[in-house]
Amino acid sequence: MHKGKGMKFVGDSRVSADRTLSKIPKDYSEYPGRTEAFWPNFLLKEWLAGSVFLVGFMCLTLAHPSPLGGLADPTNAAFIPLPDWYFLFLYELLKYKFASGEYILLGMIGIPGLAFGALLLAPFLDNGPGRRPHQRPIAVIMMLLALTATVWLTYTSAAHVDWEARAAMDQPVPPNSLEIDTSHEGFALYEASCLSCHGDALQGGAAGPSLVGIERSAEEIGVIAREGTEGGMPAGIFTGTDEELEQLVDFILTVNEQAAE
C-alpha cells in the first residue's frame, strides 16, 4: 500500500472536533445557584451547624447529667448488671437457648458477626444504578430486618426493668468522711432497724440505697420507714412507736445536714 492510496481517516463522532481537552476544572462562579465558594461561605455554614449541635448537646448534659452507679461490689450476688442502651439488644440475644450455654460463642461472635457482615456486604450485593428503595430491594430488606431485630431485642431487654428502683438501689457511695454521732437518741433505733441494709454510716449496701444526700422531707422518711417502697424496701421493717420514729427521722436528717455542710 502506497502512502496516500487506500487510506481513509474516519473521525470519531463521539468527540467534538473543536473541544479543548483542558484538565483545569471550571470555576464555581460558572455554576450560579448550584455551588458556592468553600471559603468562607460553605465552611461558615458547617461551623454554624456544628456550633448549634454542640451548644444543644452541652445544654442536655447540664440539664440531665449522666447517672453514676455505686461502686462495684463483687460480693453482691443480688445485683444484676445491665449494659448501656446501645448494647441491650446483644445482651438480650444471649438469653436465648440458641445463643447461650453451649452455644455462647455463636451468640457472642457468630450471629452478630453474620449480621454486621451482611450489612457491610449489602452495597455490593445490591449494586444497581437506582437509589430509590424499590430499586434496591436486597439492601432495603436487610436494613429493615436488622433495624426491626435491634429495636425488638432492645425493647424486650428493658421492658421489665424498674429503672427508678434500680437507680435508688445503685446510688454512688459518697466518701465515708462523716462522723456519725452514736450518742444521738435515734442512732440505736437506726442500728436496730436500718444498719444491716443501709450501712453503719448511711452509705448504703447490697440490700439498701444510701441515705446520705436524699431529698426527702421528715414526713416522707417516716412514711417509708413504716410502709416501705414499691419494689424496694418492704413494709414493717420499723416497728417502733411514733416517738421513736421521730427520733429515727431526726437522726437521718441530722446526718444529711452534716453531709451538706
PDB file of all heavy atoms in Angstrom, residues 229-244:
ATOM      1  N   THR A 229     -41.113   0.927 100.321  1.00  0.00           N
ATOM      2  CA  THR A 229     -41.239   1.470  98.967  1.00  0.00           C
ATOM      3  C   THR A 229     -41.606   0.356  98.006  1.00  0.00           C
ATOM      4  O   THR A 229     -41.254  -0.812  98.219  1.00  0.00           O
ATOM      5  CB  THR A 229     -39.925   2.127  98.504  1.00  0.00           C
ATOM      6  OG1 THR A 229     -38.868   1.143  98.548  1.00  0.00           O
ATOM      7  CG2 THR A 229     -39.555   3.298  99.400  1.00  0.00           C
ATOM      8  N   GLU A 230     -42.300   0.731  96.946  1.00  0.00           N
ATOM      9  CA  GLU A 230     -42.714  -0.257  95.955  1.00  0.00           C
ATOM     10  C   GLU A 230     -41.508  -0.801  95.199  1.00  0.00           C
ATOM     11  O   GLU A 230     -40.735  -0.055  94.623  1.00  0.00           O
ATOM     12  CB  GLU A 230     -43.692   0.382  94.971  1.00  0.00           C
ATOM     13  CG  GLU A 230     -44.261  -0.594  93.958  1.00  0.00           C
ATOM     14  CD  GLU A 230     -45.263   0.062  93.034  1.00  0.00           C
ATOM     15  OE1 GLU A 230     -45.581   1.260  93.256  1.00  0.00           O
ATOM     16  OE2 GLU A 230     -45.728  -0.607  92.096  1.00  0.00           O
ATOM     17  N   GLY A 231     -41.365  -2.111  95.207  1.00  0.00           N
ATOM     18  CA  GLY A 231     -40.255  -2.748  94.510  1.00  0.00           C
ATOM     19  C   GLY A 231     -38.925  -2.638  95.216  1.00  0.00           C
ATOM     20  O   GLY A 231     -37.905  -3.047  94.678  1.00  0.00           O
ATOM     21  N   GLY A 232     -38.902  -2.086  96.422  1.00  0.00           N
ATOM     22  CA  GLY A 232     -37.645  -1.921  97.157  1.00  0.00           C
ATOM     23  C   GLY A 232     -37.783  -2.372  98.588  1.00  0.00           C
ATOM     24  O   GLY A 232     -37.887  -3.571  98.886  1.00  0.00           O
ATOM     25  N   MET A 233     -37.802  -1.435  99.490  1.00  0.00           N
ATOM     26  CA  MET A 233     -37.871  -1.737 100.921  1.00  0.00           C
ATOM     27  C   MET A 233     -39.261  -2.253 101.280  1.00  0.00           C
ATOM     28  O   MET A 233     -40.276  -1.618 100.985  1.00  0.00           O
ATOM     29  CB  MET A 233     -37.563  -0.471 101.720  1.00  0.00           C
ATOM     30  CG  MET A 233     -37.716  -0.628 103.211  1.00  0.00           C
ATOM     31  SD  MET A 233     -37.325   0.922 104.044  1.00  0.00           S
ATOM     32  CE  MET A 233     -37.885   0.546 105.704  1.00  0.00           C
ATOM     33  N   PRO A 234     -39.367  -3.420 101.934  1.00  0.00           N
ATOM     34  CA  PRO A 234     -40.687  -3.936 102.328  1.00  0.00           C
ATOM     35  C   PRO A 234     -41.250  -3.180 103.526  1.00  0.00           C
ATOM     36  O   PRO A 234     -40.527  -2.500 104.254  1.00  0.00           O
ATOM     37  CB  PRO A 234     -40.389  -5.394 102.676  1.00  0.00           C
ATOM     38  CG  PRO A 234     -38.955  -5.403 103.092  1.00  0.00           C
ATOM     39  CD  PRO A 234     -38.279  -4.343 102.259  1.00  0.00           C
ATOM     40  N   ALA A 235     -42.540  -3.287 103.721  1.00  0.00           N
ATOM     41  CA  ALA A 235     -43.195  -2.632 104.852  1.00  0.00           C
ATOM     42  C   ALA A 235     -42.941  -3.419 106.141  1.00  0.00           C
ATOM     43  O   ALA A 235     -42.652  -4.619 106.120  1.00  0.00           O
ATOM     44  CB  ALA A 235     -44.691  -2.519 104.592  1.00  0.00           C
ATOM     45  N   GLY A 236     -43.043  -2.713 107.266  1.00  0.00           N
ATOM     46  CA  GLY A 236     -42.926  -3.373 108.560  1.00  0.00           C
ATOM     47  C   GLY A 236     -41.514  -3.558 109.070  1.00  0.00           C
ATOM     48  O   GLY A 236     -41.312  -4.278 110.056  1.00  0.00           O
ATOM     49  N   ILE A 237     -40.523  -2.933 108.417  1.00  0.00           N
ATOM     50  CA  ILE A 237     -39.150  -3.057 108.912  1.00  0.00           C
ATOM     51  C   ILE A 237     -39.006  -2.334 110.254  1.00  0.00           C
ATOM     52  O   ILE A 237     -38.410  -2.859 111.199  1.00  0.00           O
ATOM     53  CB  ILE A 237     -38.153  -2.496 107.886  1.00  0.00           C
ATOM     54  CG1 ILE A 237     -38.202  -3.320 106.597  1.00  0.00           C
ATOM     55  CG2 ILE A 237     -36.737  -2.495 108.457  1.00  0.00           C
ATOM     56  CD1 ILE A 237     -37.783  -4.756 106.764  1.00  0.00           C
ATOM     57  N   PHE A 238     -39.567  -1.146 110.348  1.00  0.00           N
ATOM     58  CA  PHE A 238     -39.521  -0.398 111.605  1.00  0.00           C
ATOM     59  C   PHE A 238     -40.838  -0.609 112.343  1.00  0.00           C
ATOM     60  O   PHE A 238     -41.919  -0.346 111.814  1.00  0.00           O
ATOM     61  CB  PHE A 238     -39.293   1.088 111.334  1.00  0.00           C
ATOM     62  CG  PHE A 238     -39.220   1.926 112.581  1.00  0.00           C
ATOM     63  CD1 PHE A 238     -38.057   1.964 113.335  1.00  0.00           C
ATOM     64  CD2 PHE A 238     -40.324   2.656 113.003  1.00  0.00           C
ATOM     65  CE1 PHE A 238     -37.993   2.721 114.487  1.00  0.00           C
ATOM     66  CE2 PHE A 238     -40.266   3.418 114.158  1.00  0.00           C
ATOM     67  CZ  PHE A 238     -39.096   3.449 114.903  1.00  0.00           C
ATOM     68  N   THR A 239     -40.755  -1.060 113.577  1.00  0.00           N
ATOM     69  CA  THR A 239     -41.954  -1.380 114.363  1.00  0.00           C
ATOM     70  C   THR A 239     -42.023  -0.582 115.658  1.00  0.00           C
ATOM     71  O   THR A 239     -42.758  -0.957 116.571  1.00  0.00           O
ATOM     72  CB  THR A 239     -41.979  -2.884 114.681  1.00  0.00           C
ATOM     73  OG1 THR A 239     -40.776  -3.247 115.383  1.00  0.00           O
ATOM     74  CG2 THR A 239     -42.091  -3.714 113.415  1.00  0.00           C
ATOM     75  N   GLY A 240     -41.255   0.499 115.756  1.00  0.00           N
ATOM     76  CA  GLY A 240     -41.245   1.286 116.982  1.00  0.00           C
ATOM     77  C   GLY A 240     -42.451   2.201 117.101  1.00  0.00           C
ATOM     78  O   GLY A 240     -43.334   2.243 116.247  1.00  0.00           O
ATOM     79  N   THR A 241     -42.471   2.962 118.172  1.00  0.00           N
ATOM     80  CA  THR A 241     -43.560   3.906 118.433  1.00  0.00           C
ATOM     81  C   THR A 241     -43.387   5.158 117.578  1.00  0.00           C
ATOM     82  O   THR A 241     -42.360   5.348 116.924  1.00  0.00           O
ATOM     83  CB  THR A 241     -43.584   4.283 119.915  1.00  0.00           C
ATOM     84  OG1 THR A 241     -42.360   4.967 120.241  1.00  0.00           O
ATOM     85  CG2 THR A 241     -43.719   3.036 120.789  1.00  0.00           C
ATOM     86  N   ASP A 242     -44.408   6.022 117.606  1.00  0.00           N
ATOM     87  CA  ASP A 242     -44.337   7.270 116.860  1.00  0.00           C
ATOM     88  C   ASP A 242     -43.208   8.161 117.375  1.00  0.00           C
ATOM     89  O   ASP A 242     -42.533   8.844 116.598  1.00  0.00           O
ATOM     90  CB  ASP A 242     -45.672   8.005 116.947  1.00  0.00           C
ATOM     91  CG  ASP A 242     -46.783   7.276 116.201  1.00  0.00           C
ATOM     92  OD1 ASP A 242     -46.445   6.420 115.350  1.00  0.00           O
ATOM     93  OD2 ASP A 242     -47.963   7.555 116.471  1.00  0.00           O
ATOM     94  N   GLU A 243     -42.993   8.150 118.680  1.00  0.00           N
ATOM     95  CA  GLU A 243     -41.913   8.945 119.258  1.00  0.00           C
ATOM     96  C   GLU A 243     -40.552   8.429 118.793  1.00  0.00           C
ATOM     97  O   GLU A 243     -39.656   9.217 118.461  1.00  0.00           O
ATOM     98  CB  GLU A 243     -42.010   8.915 120.780  1.00  0.00           C
ATOM     99  CG  GLU A 243     -40.948   9.771 121.466  1.00  0.00           C
ATOM    100  CD  GLU A 243     -41.048   9.724 122.978  1.00  0.00           C
ATOM    101  OE1 GLU A 243     -41.990   9.081 123.500  1.00  0.00           O
ATOM    102  OE2 GLU A 243     -40.171  10.319 123.648  1.00  0.00           O
ATOM    103  N   GLU A 244     -40.403   7.113 118.772  1.00  0.00           N
ATOM    104  CA  GLU A 244     -39.144   6.526 118.301  1.00  0.00           C
ATOM    105  C   GLU A 244     -38.950   6.792 116.813  1.00  0.00           C
ATOM    106  O   GLU A 244     -37.813   6.991 116.358  1.00  0.00           O
ATOM    107  CB  GLU A 244     -39.146   5.025 118.586  1.00  0.00           C
ATOM    108  CG  GLU A 244     -39.057   4.675 120.062  1.00  0.00           C
ATOM    109  CD  GLU A 244     -39.190   3.191 120.307  1.00  0.00           C
ATOM    110  OE1 GLU A 244     -39.789   2.485 119.463  1.00  0.00           O
ATOM    111  OE2 GLU A 244     -38.702   2.717 121.354  1.00  0.00           O
TER     112      GLU A 244
END
